[in-house]
């Protein structure tokens, strides 16, 4: 029994070091911290209580961020398409002026 517990603790240490490498702002770290009640003592882990609404928002934040990024990306693409169209029109006008200047001479 003791050997199995030691193996479990070693595995948890390895997982902990991997999660530490991800950094404190990692969504994976935040999700795992909320999912597992890991206790290092001999007493059992406390029963999980339902998460308050503010914690649920933090868990759902990545979905919201992804939607905001997608919206932002669409807006940026449209702005770039508009700028490209303006640049192409300017190039066409400059080509026409250059043609007029070279043919007129």
């Amino acid at each position: 029994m003791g050997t199995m517990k030691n193996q479990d603790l070693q595995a948890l240490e390895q997982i902990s070091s991997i999660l530490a490498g991800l950094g404190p702002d990692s969504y994976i770290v935040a999700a795992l911290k909320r999912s597992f009640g890991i206790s290092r003592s001999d007493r059992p882990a406390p029963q999980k209580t339902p998460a308050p609404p503010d914690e649920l928002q933090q868990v759902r934040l990545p979905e919201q961020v992804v939607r905001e990024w997608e919206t932002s990306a669409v807006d940026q693409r449209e702005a770039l398409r508009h700028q490209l169209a303006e640049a192409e029109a300017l190039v066409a006008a400059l080509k026409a002026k250059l043609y007029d200047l070279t043919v007129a001479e």
Side-chain angles (χ1 to χ4, degrees), residues 1 5 24 51 58 88 90:
M1 177 83 178
K5 186 173 184 175
Q58 289 175 358
E88 288 173 341
L90 180 61

Side-chain angles (χ1 to χ4, degrees), residues 65-81:
V65 169
V66 168
R67 279 192 296 261
E68 288 173 2
W69 286 346
E70 288 173 348
T71 302
S72 176
V74 168
D75 293 343
Q76 289 176 356
R77 276 192 300 254
E78 289 302 315
L80 289 173
R81 284 185 182 134

Side-chain angles (χ1 to χ4, degrees), residues 28-94:
I28 295 171
V29 173
L32 289 175
K33 281 182 180 178
R34 291 184 193 342
S35 296
F36 297 105
I38 300 171
S39 176
R40 292 182 173 240
S41 65
D42 290 332
R43 60 189 163 90
Q47 294 295 322
K48 289 192 68 149
T49 57
D54 59 328
E55 286 185 21
L56 290 175
Q57 282 182 325
Q58 289 175 358
V59 172
R60 292 184 184 133
L61 180 64
E63 295 171 14
Q64 179 183 357
V65 169
V66 168
R67 279 192 296 261
E68 288 173 2
W69 286 346
E70 288 173 348
T71 302
S72 176
V74 168
D75 293 343
Q76 289 176 356
R77 276 192 300 254
E78 289 302 315
L80 289 173
R81 284 185 182 134
H82 182 69
Q83 289 176 355
L84 179 61
E86 289 177 347
E88 288 173 341
L90 180 61
V91 168
L94 291 173

Side-chain angles (χ1 to χ4, degrees), residues 90-105:
L90 180 61
V91 168
L94 291 173
K95 282 183 179 179
K97 286 183 183 180
L98 181 61
Y99 177 79
D100 290 342
L101 290 173
T102 56
V103 173
E105 294 180 6

